[in-house]
Amino acid sequence: MTNKTNFPDQRSTMFAPSGSSLLSEMSFLVLVAVTFLSALFLYKVLRRGHGAKTLPSGSMGLPLIGESVSFLRAQKEDRGEEWINKRVAKHGPVFKTSLMGSPTVVVIGQAGNKFVFGSDDNVLTGKQPKSFTAIAGKHQIFALTGARYKLIKGAMVSFLRPESLQNYISHMDDLVKTELLKETKEKETIMAVTFMKKLTFNIACSILFGIHDEPIKEALFTDFTLAFKAIWSIPVNFPGTLFRQGLQARSRIIKKMLPIVKKRKEELSKGTLSPRSDVISCMLALKAENQELITEEEIMDNFILLMIASHDTSATLLSLMVWKLARAPELYQKVLEEQMGILKDREEPQRQLTWNDIQKMKFTWRVAQELMRIIPPVFGNFRRAVKDTSFGGYDIPKGWQVFWVSNATHMNKDIFNDPTEFNPSRFENPSKPIPPLTYIPFGAGHHMCIGNEFARVETLIIIHHMVTKFDWSQVNPDEMITRQPMPYPSMGLPIMLNARNPSEKA
């Protein structure tokens, strides 16, 4: 009988890895494969438009992600200018990087602004990064060109130009007084950022879109808050990511709005609703040259874009105004004197504000202009090369993004004397005229923000009621600014209110 001992086969133990080492080897192979594919993808992107021979210097960062993480982190910590300046010092005023999933050329200074804002749409288009387009929609005006762009932009502008705004003043004035009284009733402290976001959102809903149902507005506000945070996120559609949350918020917005759009379409066909009632009705009535109507998808995309553009930039500026006036008593006093002067000049003290009253708020608006110079609501924005082009001696391949930066000229000492000094008088008959394309909080040229006048009127009406009814102080005097992606006081700006007339808070 043979004594058989069960030893393991040495050949199998020599060549077959254990469970843990097998996992490690597989992980290594996956890593190698991903790295190779990412490198191949990046190489092809860089080679796209291979006629480009002289790319600017710079770093493309990690495969696929690029430098998006460090850029977004710098934005959140309000170090965006530092992030840009570090690369300008190393590579010059034109450099390459990769942001939001696309290769990007960053251009700095007046010449760069002229290139971006002066280029025709057949050179640079307003197409935005993948995250923005996925959430705002592929049919919003930034993504359109030609006749379709002019048609939809024309409909929006018709509601935002000064002649139309004059008709909204009394309605906006009533809304602000009502919402301010509601927010401050029996309260000594309010969260100014949240209040300004809700107030400007309600104004946009009511005046621009004719949405008055309170539960609908509340639900839309929650979803738009998420969507806006996600438009400058890394476009990774995994559970839990900000991008995924933004996509889900977009879906909910569309689900809530489609019944409203369908109802208005029916009312328009019956003649019970005028196309001039609101922006949605106006777009529903639009017809292209071939008599083709605007689709519901186009209406949804442009509703989302205009809602984002019309309320968040204004909320940013208003939050910064409240923040600045709390920190600068001398500025607050001058703004108060101007606004009280408007009240005293009225023949009927209780009447609503008028267009003429708004035009008298010159110093208040200069404070806003100076704030937007030092802390621009929009740090910068993207364009996209439609074809191979060039700037500053460098080639920009077709499909690459071009990113412009407002601070580059706003804080340039050769353009603005003592640029770090807060000085609203620089916008009042300046001895040194501001050169064109250097002050760009709303963009410039035919790419100027279509809602800039709406934002001015809205801001001035709200500040008028804030300073004539209250003075205030910061709960956290050292509260700093962070970008989300707009610049906001980092703690939500809690302020303590003191009513000038105690009955205002009754």
Side-chain angles (χ1 to χ4, degrees), residues 145-214:
T145 57
R148 210 66 169 180
Y149 168 80
K150 292 178 182 177
L151 182 68
I152 292 178
K153 181 180 177 181
M156 292 181 175
V157 169
S158 68
F159 281 84
L160 297 169
R161 60 192 176 199
E163 309 91 84
S164 299
L165 289 175
Q166 293 182 46
N167 300 321
Y168 309 149
I169 300 295
S170 60
H171 186 184
M172 198 180 292
D173 189 57
D174 283 339
L175 273 172
V176 172
K177 285 187 285 190
T178 300
E179 293 295 326
L180 187 58
L181 180 61
K182 187 194 304 182
E183 178 67 18
T184 59
K185 189 174 183 180
E186 299 179 354
K187 289 183 184 177
E188 294 183 356
T189 302
I190 66 168
M191 299 298 290
V193 169
T194 301
F195 173 63
M196 292 305 177
K197 285 187 175 186
K198 285 187 175 180
L199 178 56
T200 54
F201 186 82
N202 284 338
I203 289 171
C205 278
S206 181
I207 291 177
L208 295 180
F209 302 111
I211 301 170
H212 306 291
D213 184 272
E214 288 299 326

Side-chain angles (χ1 to χ4, degrees), residues 274-328:
S274 166
R276 298 300 307 162
S277 297
D278 56 82
V279 176
I280 294 173
S281 301
C282 183
M283 286 195 287
L284 280 168
L286 286 179
K287 290 183 181 179
E289 292 180 0
N290 61 359
Q291 298 300 300
E292 178 186 357
L293 291 169
I294 302 301
T295 67
E296 287 182 355
E297 187 177 4
E298 288 174 306
I299 290 169
M300 284 293 95
D301 289 354
N302 285 287
F303 163 72
I304 290 171
L305 175 73
L306 189 55
M307 182 62 88
I308 289 171
S310 64
H311 100 272
D312 216 85
T313 47
S314 296
T316 297
L317 178 56
L318 284 159
S319 298
L320 293 175
M321 287 280 282
V322 172
W323 176 79
K324 184 64 180 178
L325 293 177
R327 300 160 74 93

Side-chain angles (χ1 to χ4, degrees), residues 307-449:
M307 182 62 88
I308 289 171
S310 64
H311 100 272
D312 216 85
T313 47
S314 296
T316 297
L317 178 56
L318 284 159
S319 298
L320 293 175
M321 287 280 282
V322 172
W323 176 79
K324 184 64 180 178
L325 293 177
R327 300 160 74 93
E330 70 286 354
L331 280 180
Y332 176 90
Q333 191 59 38
K334 288 182 180 180
V335 169
L336 175 63
E337 288 172 5
E338 179 175 79
Q339 298 300 334
M340 284 298 191
I342 291 168
L343 284 181
K344 290 175 184 176
D345 289 344
R346 290 179 177 178
E347 293 180 4
E348 304 171 42
Q350 299 303 316
R351 72 164 169 78
Q352 297 157 321
L353 286 169
T354 65
W355 182 255
N356 287 336
D357 291 334
I358 301 296
Q359 307 318 306
K360 294 175 183 176
M361 301 179 186
K362 298 183 184 301
F363 181 77
T364 306
W365 185 242
R366 287 199 295 271
V367 171
Q369 286 178 296
E370 181 70 339
L371 257 177
M372 290 188 289
R373 183 187 69 81
I374 292 179
I375 313 174
V378 178
F379 176 80
N381 209 346
F382 296 91
R383 304 278 288 162
R384 190 175 292 272
V386 179
K387 61 184 180 182
D388 291 347
T389 186
S390 61
F391 171 72
Y394 298 104
D395 293 315
I396 302 174
K398 177 183 176 180
W400 279 44
Q401 295 179 146
V402 177
F403 187 73
W404 58 268
V405 181
S406 50
N407 285 78
T409 50
H410 286 196
M411 300 303 290
N412 187 323
K413 62 180 176 22
D414 295 326
I415 297 171
F416 294 98
N417 292 329
D418 300 319
T420 57
E421 179 189 356
F422 193 93
N423 180 15
S425 67
R426 69 174 83 243
F427 292 96
E428 178 188 10
N429 302 319
S431 56
K432 181 181 178 182
I434 299 170
L437 298 166
T438 57
Y439 180 67
I440 51 172
F442 294 110
H446 61 281
H447 297 296
M448 176 79 77
C449 171

